[in-house]
Amino acid sequence: FRWSRRPRLDQHCEPNGHVWLIRDITQQKLAEKMREEFVSMATHELRTPLANINAYAETLTMADDIDIEQQKEFYNIIQSEATRLARFVDELLDISRMEAGSMSINCRITELDRLLKEICDKIQPEMNRKELDFSIEIPPKLPQIEVDKDAIVAALVNLLGNAVKYTPEGGNVCFTVLVEDNEIQFKVQDSGIGIAEEELPHVFEKFFRSDDGRVRGVNGSGLGLAFSHEVARLHQGRIDVSSELNQGSTFSLVLPLKIGVEA
Ligand code: ADP
């Protein structure tokens, strides 16, 4: 609790005493702590890939005894570190727009198969790298939907990216699309570490990261789900989550089929 003293004003607006205010600052302190953790995480997220890119580029330039296979490996590392950096910068931009309350969406009639292809192209390399069994179930007939394609792609890539990050190697991830009445559901199911019951209500809060030691070792900002949640809200949709510790998690992004035209 924090005490604060404010002057009490008389009817002529002159100070004539003091009023003591007591405020519960637990929430405020928690937010400050999460923000501080975010700054140190962001510094790390920016510095680490830059340092790696620098180191590998320098080695490639200076050393003349690197065989072609090793060269390829180093170029791959540079590329994946640059991708990681670009993803993080995109995330920061999205979040700063969200923070400023200026995040808006621009909905257009979108071909669902093109949207799904874009998502799979983005996520497949990460699935392969971690040797996860990635399965996709989509209905043969897909409707058109009226959405902000880039925002929905980013929101779903976040959900799938989390499934990759929080599922140990060799596990499985299933991406399902279900079209029902006037809704479309994108379901991301993983066989990963799961989320403790008491933490579930907090996963969509900005800067939230689980206390689970296994999460601390994974790169992340605690902002992806907050962003995806906001994207769902702006589309008048929602994200549902269910999870069991050590068993896996399921995140579902549900959107209304506002203008649902059969293809
Ligand atoms: P982060 O960048 O930390 O992944 P997110 O906002 O995307 O941030 O997720 C918030 C937290 O929710 C994560 O740090 C993790 O603790 C938990 N989480 C999200 N997705 C999953 C998942 N598929 N499996 C287990 N935990 C998850």
Side-chain angles (χ1 to χ4, degrees):
F1 289 95
R2 176 175 288 160
W3 290 79
S4 65
R5 206 164 62 140
R6 299 242 173 108
R8 192 179 65 199
L9 306 180
D10 64 16
Q11 74 263 43
H12 309 295
C13 289
E14 293 295 331
N16 74 344
H18 288 98
V19 182
W20 289 91
L21 296 173
I22 311 170
R23 253 181 324 141
D24 181 356
I25 57 161
T26 322
Q27 282 303 322
Q28 197 180 324
K29 278 261 173 249
L30 203 64
E32 269 168 32
K33 185 172 161 277
M34 283 160 100
R35 217 167 267 273
E36 277 164 21
E37 277 171 13
F38 171 74
V39 172
S40 93
M41 178 280 307
T43 312
H44 172 83
E45 283 290 292
L46 294 169
R47 278 208 180 124
T48 312
L50 279 175
N52 285 338
I53 290 171
N54 242 333
Y56 283 100
E58 201 174 292
T59 313
L60 282 165
T61 323
M62 310 290 278
D64 41 21
D65 56 345
I66 313 173
D67 64 45
I68 195 87
E69 277 310 307
Q70 209 166 22
Q71 278 186 27
K72 255 194 199 161
E73 190 194 328
F74 289 0
Y75 281 123
N76 278 337
I77 295 174
I78 291 175
Q79 195 181 24
S80 85
E81 290 295 89
T83 310
R84 173 175 157 194
L85 201 56
R87 167 97 44 102
F88 185 64
V89 170
D90 280 349
E91 217 173 80
L92 282 183
L93 288 174
D94 290 336
I95 291 297
S96 73
R97 262 184 249 131
M98 195 168 99
E99 285 272 81
S102 64
M103 188 166 137
S104 60
I105 52 170
N106 183 10
C107 290
R108 284 181 189 189
I109 301 263
T110 306
E111 297 292 340
L112 203 46
D113 48 3
R114 278 187 49 204
L115 182 144
L116 294 174
K117 187 177 178 308
E118 205 171 305
I119 291 168
C120 291
D121 286 349
K122 287 198 169 168
I123 211 71
Q124 190 75 57
E126 289 177 38
M127 295 280 176
N128 295 347
R129 213 170 298 136
K130 215 160 166 198
E131 292 181 2
L132 296 173
D133 179 2
F134 181 37
S135 56
I136 305 166
E137 291 173 22
I138 46 175
K141 234 180 166 198
L142 289 170
Q144 291 178 322
I145 50 173
E146 194 182 12
V147 291
D148 183 318
K149 181 162 81 44
D150 293 343
I152 295 293
V153 167
L156 287 169
V157 167
N158 270 339
L159 300 186
L160 285 158
N162 281 348
V164 176
K165 287 198 296 188
Y166 303 114
T167 301
E169 284 191 14
N172 49 66
V173 175
C174 181
F175 181 41
T176 315
V177 180
L178 292 163
V179 183
E180 287 165 349
D181 303 331
N182 44 15
E183 279 187 346
I184 183 157
Q185 190 183 348
F186 302 91
K187 198 159 79 168
V188 178
Q189 212 167 354
D190 67 55
S191 66
I193 61 171
I195 301 162
E197 203 182 332
E198 66 275 15
E199 291 190 327
L200 267 186
H202 303 289
V203 290
F204 297 109
E205 288 169 13
K206 270 180 281 176
F207 307 118
F208 174 83
R209 298 206 79 205
S210 167
D211 249 353
D212 192 317
R214 291 171 295 179
V215 169
R216 250 170 276 138
V218 174
N219 294 317
S221 61
L223 294 171
L225 284 181
F227 170 78
S228 299
H229 190 262
E230 181 66 1
V231 168
R233 193 189 67 79
L234 289 169
H235 283 85
Q236 284 123 46
R238 62 179 193 279
I239 300 190
D240 301 325
V241 56
S242 65
S243 186
E244 208 173 315
L245 214 50
N246 300 319
Q247 299 297 316
S249 312
T250 303
F251 284 85
S252 298
L253 169 65
V254 184
L255 300 178
L257 273 179
K258 270 183 283 175
I259 304 176
V261 187
E262 281 282 302

